[in-house]
Amino acid sequence: MISAVSAAQRLDSRGKPTVQVRVTTDKGQFQALVPSGASKGDYEAIELRDNNASAYGGKGVETALDVGTDLKKIDALLREVDGSDDKSRLGANAILGISMACARAGAAAQGVPLYEFLRKESGSKKPYVIPVPFFNVLNGGVHSGNTMAFQECMIAPVGARSMAQAVQMGSEVYQELKKVLTKAFGPTATGIGDEGGFAPPISQPHEALDLLVTAVENCGYTGKVKFAMDPASSEFYNGGEYDLGFKGKTSEKYTGEKLGDLYHQLLDKYPIILLEDPFAQDDWPSWTAFNKTCPVELVGDDLLATNVDRIEEAKEKGACNSLLLKINQIGTITEALSAAKLAYELGWSVFVSHRSGETTDDFIADLTVGLRTGHLKSGSPCRGERVAKYNRLMDIEDEIKASGAEVIYAGAELRTIHSG
């Protein structure tokens, strides 16, 4: 039984206000901190901000806090009370904080870990699956101050045998990459972006991938560590064209078809296994055309916004084959579970994600295990708000092993292991 709901304004990893919610039940007090993104799609649920220029430049969340303290029940009631399609009345940040905290309270009431509670809520089967972590080690786009248009270059230790080993491999490559960057560009090139990845003075995606190849080879992990890219292309799409020089002084414009050719060149040359948001959120023709010949996991983020209506439209148009699951895009845990279920029913994969404006809340680690998604991204193996998720996953792995239950590291089967 929920006896109290309280909310407070706290800071996220970029030093901007976010919502903290505490739910009190007869089993204890349960807390959640809500993340926020920098590159946001038009179809995401809407955060509620104060717009008071005298405090935090208008980014305060006191208005959302006033809403949250009046609510007593969970997701269905939250949606009903809000009454809008995009949760703009109460604010997705207020709603999600309550939803997350109530999920934790529900797990406590059942006497089970959060990942087991979410597994049962979603209808997922056993054995448990520990995901492959995708570490964002090179940053560009709106997440960094360099001139590279593509937002994220990630490494994925598919050749590991456990989460603990995957984290070790990711950390070793990250530290080696720092040495590679220092040698190539000097120590100033090892500054980091919002998600903890390095932001060296490069502008082209092949430059980033060449640096990853060197770092992985130096660590002896060639073949065991694969790559992934998130261009976040809505950020450099304008007037029907993609400008890869949008952060520099010279334009470098591509049509959707020409950009697709560039992606195929990169896929042919480098061990890339996942491509996220290669085209803008409403450039359906480019998505559909590319998906016909794309040999890897093609993930929709801004395209889908964790929204079942957008997922259905993408399936109808043959636009992608994987959902990026961001809980704050849709606003409640129940809706996030429903979006993942729909993606699975369509034969897709599900890729769980953090946000660039993160907190130390590790909820998505349990969510990934509960849904058996097989992979997640939570930034680099650096910065506390990123590492919190990876540390939680190692804890979960240890807990499951200690209980005697079966647990599998997703490895190379990360895309399809949920159905096994």
Side-chain angles (χ1 to χ4, degrees):
M1 177 69 70
I2 296 174
S3 60
V5 178
S6 64
Q9 180 170 267
R10 298 294 182 260
L11 297 182
D12 69 16
S13 61
R14 284 200 299 263
K16 295 182 179 180
T18 190
V19 175
Q20 174 182 276
V21 174
R22 286 178 177 159
V23 174
T24 302
T25 76
D26 56 345
K27 298 295 183 179
Q29 192 175 78
F30 306 93
Q31 179 175 298
L33 280 158
V34 179
S36 179
S39 56
K40 300 179 181 179
D42 290 343
Y43 303 98
E44 296 191 24
I46 304 299
E47 295 178 334
L48 190 62
R49 299 284 179 174
D50 297 340
N51 297 316
N52 177 4
S54 66
Y56 290 106
K59 298 295 185 180
V61 294
E62 295 290 346
T63 305
L65 305 187
D66 290 339
V67 172
T69 54
D70 293 335
L71 301 176
K72 306 297 182 184
K73 297 184 180 179
I74 54 177
D75 297 351
L77 179 59
L78 292 171
R79 296 194 300 272
E80 181 181 345
V81 172
D82 178 81
S84 68
D85 291 335
D86 58 8
K87 298 180 177 64
S88 56
R89 181 167 173 261
L90 300 182
N93 42 355
I95 292 172
L96 180 60
I98 296 169
S99 183
M100 292 166 66
C102 285
R104 286 193 165 103
Q110 293 183 17
V112 298
L114 179 59
Y115 58 84
E116 171 61 10
F117 174 80
L118 295 171
R119 184 194 69 79
K120 292 193 291 185
E121 288 289 306
S122 67
S124 295
K125 54 190 175 182
K126 291 184 178 180
Y128 295 109
V129 173
I130 298 296
V132 174
F134 280 58
F135 299 102
N136 180 11
V137 294
L138 285 175
N139 291 178
V142 298
H143 287 178
S144 75
N146 62 13
T147 57
M148 186 167 69
F150 286 13
Q151 187 165 281
E152 300 176 21
C153 293
M154 296 170 271
I155 55 172
V158 298
R161 296 185 300 276
S162 66
M163 187 67 195
Q165 187 180 40
V167 169
Q168 177 183 339
M169 293 169 70
S171 177
E172 289 175 356
V173 172
Y174 181 80
Q175 298 300 330
E176 180 60 28
L177 180 60
K178 184 175 183 179
K179 296 176 184 177
V180 170
L181 293 174
T182 299
K183 182 177 180 181
F185 305 107
T188 58
T190 58
I192 59 176
D194 280 354
E195 298 183 1
F198 300 113
I202 58 176
S203 60
Q204 299 300 319
H206 68 84
E207 295 177 279
L209 292 166
D210 285 339
L211 290 167
L212 295 188
V213 168
T214 299
V216 170
E217 285 181 349
N218 290 354
C219 290
Y221 291 141
T222 301
K224 295 182 179 181
V225 173
K226 303 295 185 180
F227 301 162
M229 298 192 79
D230 173 15
S233 56
S234 291
E235 299 296 330
F236 52 89
Y237 181 72
N238 186 39
E241 293 183 307
Y242 295 89
D243 185 5
L244 270 63
F246 84 106
K247 295 177 68 179
K249 297 180 179 179
T250 305
S251 293
E252 188 179 347
K253 294 185 177 180
Y254 287 72
T255 63
E257 182 180 4
K258 183 180 176 183
L259 186 59
D261 291 339
L262 173 61
Y263 293 137
H264 276 296
Q265 292 171 13
L266 297 174
L267 293 174
D268 288 342
K269 184 176 180 181
Y270 300 98
I272 299 170
I273 61 172
L274 181 150
L275 188 60
E276 176 189 332
D277 270 6
F279 303 102
Q281 61 194 9
D282 287 320
D283 187 7
W284 291 103
S286 294
W287 278 94
T288 300
F290 186 76
N291 192 32
K292 292 177 181 178
T293 57
C294 180
V296 301
E297 183 173 353
L298 184 59
V299 183
D301 176 12
D302 291 346
L303 180 75
L304 305 176
T306 316
N307 184 297
V308 293
D309 293 333
R310 297 284 293 184
I311 294 170
E312 292 278 15
E313 185 174 2
K315 178 61 177 180
E316 180 182 336
K317 294 179 177 179
C320 61
N321 57 41
S322 183
L323 163 69
L324 192 77
L325 186 66
K326 289 178 173 176
I327 55 178
N328 82 318
Q329 280 184 328
I330 194 62
T332 68
I333 300 306
T334 300
E335 289 171 290
L337 297 179
S338 296
K341 181 179 180 181
L342 176 58
Y344 286 155
E345 290 173 349
L346 297 177
W348 290 7
S349 304
V350 175
F351 187 33
V352 173
S353 175
H354 63 157
R355 297 309 300 253
S356 55
E358 258 300 332
T359 72
T360 52
D361 194 303
D362 55 16
F363 189 99
I364 63 170
D366 288 74
L367 179 68
T368 304
V369 175
L371 285 172
R372 304 177 88 239
T373 66
H375 51 331
L376 95 161
K377 64 173 186 174
S378 184
S380 74
C382 170
R383 295 181 56 128
E385 76 279 0
R386 313 297 159 182
V387 174
K389 283 70 167 174
Y390 302 130
N391 283 341
R392 173 59 183 155
L393 284 165
M394 288 190 286
D395 287 344
I396 292 173
E397 184 175 59
D398 288 346
E399 289 172 13
I400 296 173
K401 288 180 178 178
S403 74
E406 184 179 2
V407 59
I408 303 169
Y409 177 72
E413 305 300 318
L414 58 93
R415 287 185 63 183
T416 58
I417 196 165
H418 63 271
S419 61

